[in-house]
Amino acid sequence: VDMTPSRKLTALFRDSERFQILSDTRALGLARALNYVGLVVPLLVVLSTIITQVVTGELPCSHCNLERLAYFTIALGPALNLRFGIRPSHYGISLAGAMFLGTVSIDMMIRIAELIGPAGYGPVVLGLHVNSWSVIISIIAGVGVVVMLLWERQFALARPHPTTLGRPTNLLLKVALIFVMCVIVFALISGIFECGPGICPDSAPKTYPYWPF
């Protein structure tokens, strides 16, 4: 049977046609574009917290550092998809990061509520504390990853055109990966100066205990 792709709704009721909204090229391009969004947005959140940290001098607590790690994990899945090809296992990494982010954020909200009450702690953005935004972002990220996992067509389209180490990386991906590495390096340096070789303190210190200068 010749399963000719068609955009007509009548194709839904015919055995000889396959209903298809986007062409193969556009569908694969959309999948890659969404992965770029999934890569950059979590890193922008971490970058904004680092900028706030530098400007205000307020260091992150242990939960805040764990939240940054969760954002990195969410971004790792799209990074692997763009570099090595789109796979369900890569989306699974991002889903685990979203669950981890939500768990850490809710745990911190409960701890804050027990200590200082419902007023909350930390900076407020658009009427909500950062921890509340982290819970919302974790839900959005989790739902987004589940939707991408349910979109099976992208895996079939990406299989004949995998991104491998033997092929050159395009300029956009190079810029995105450089941005990712810069944010990770900044966060790592901050964590080393704040926590040193041990575990980060629950309460954020006023200055960097391990600042060498």
Side-chain angles (χ1 to χ4, degrees):
V1 179
D2 182 17
M3 296 292 290
T4 305
S6 175
R7 296 185 180 182
K8 297 180 180 180
L9 292 177
T10 54
L12 292 171
F13 308 98
R14 295 178 180 175
D15 296 334
S16 60
E17 291 183 323
R18 174 165 52 92
F19 181 68
Q20 181 174 288
I21 298 177
L22 298 174
S23 64
D24 290 349
T25 302
R26 290 186 176 181
L28 187 57
L30 176 61
R32 288 175 175 167
L34 292 174
N35 273 276
Y36 273 111
V37 173
L39 171 63
V40 174
V41 171
L43 274 300
L44 286 176
V45 175
V46 177
L47 181 61
S48 65
T49 62
I50 293 175
I51 293 175
T52 303
Q53 172 184 333
V54 173
V55 173
T56 63
E58 183 177 348
L59 303 186
C61 61
S62 59
H63 277 70
C64 298
N65 286 318
L66 288 176
E67 287 182 4
R68 291 181 180 182
L69 178 60
Y71 280 113
F72 289 143
T73 307
I74 293 173
L76 179 58
L80 294 174
N81 279 333
L82 294 169
R83 188 64 185 89
F84 301 107
I86 300 175
R87 300 176 185 175
S89 58
H90 298 162
Y91 285 119
I93 294 173
S94 294
L95 183 59
M99 295 172 63
F100 181 54
L101 176 62
T103 302
V104 172
S105 303
I106 292 174
D107 179 69
M108 187 172 182
M109 292 174 64
I110 294 174
R111 290 172 182 265
I112 292 174
E114 292 177 347
L115 292 175
I116 61 177
Y121 171 78
V124 176
V125 179
L126 298 178
L128 294 176
H129 289 278
V130 174
N131 293 315
S132 300
W133 278 115
S134 292
V135 174
I136 295 174
I137 292 173
S138 69
I139 296 173
I140 294 175
V143 172
V145 171
V146 170
V147 171
M148 294 300 288
L149 283 170
L150 293 174
W151 185 21
E152 296 183 359
R153 185 184 175 196
Q154 63 178 312
F155 305 119
L157 294 175
R159 197 169 295 117
H161 308 285
T163 304
T164 63
L165 289 174
R167 296 178 58 187
T169 306
N170 61 51
L171 179 60
L172 180 59
L173 182 54
K174 286 182 179 179
V175 173
L177 292 178
I178 290 173
F179 169 70
V180 170
M181 293 304 299
C182 289
V183 176
I184 291 176
V185 168
F186 288 150
L188 182 61
I189 292 175
S190 172
I192 291 175
F193 287 158
E194 179 184 356
C195 308
I199 300 176
C200 295
D202 291 335
S203 300
K206 299 298 182 182
T207 59
Y208 289 105
Y210 296 92
W211 180 257
F213 306 107

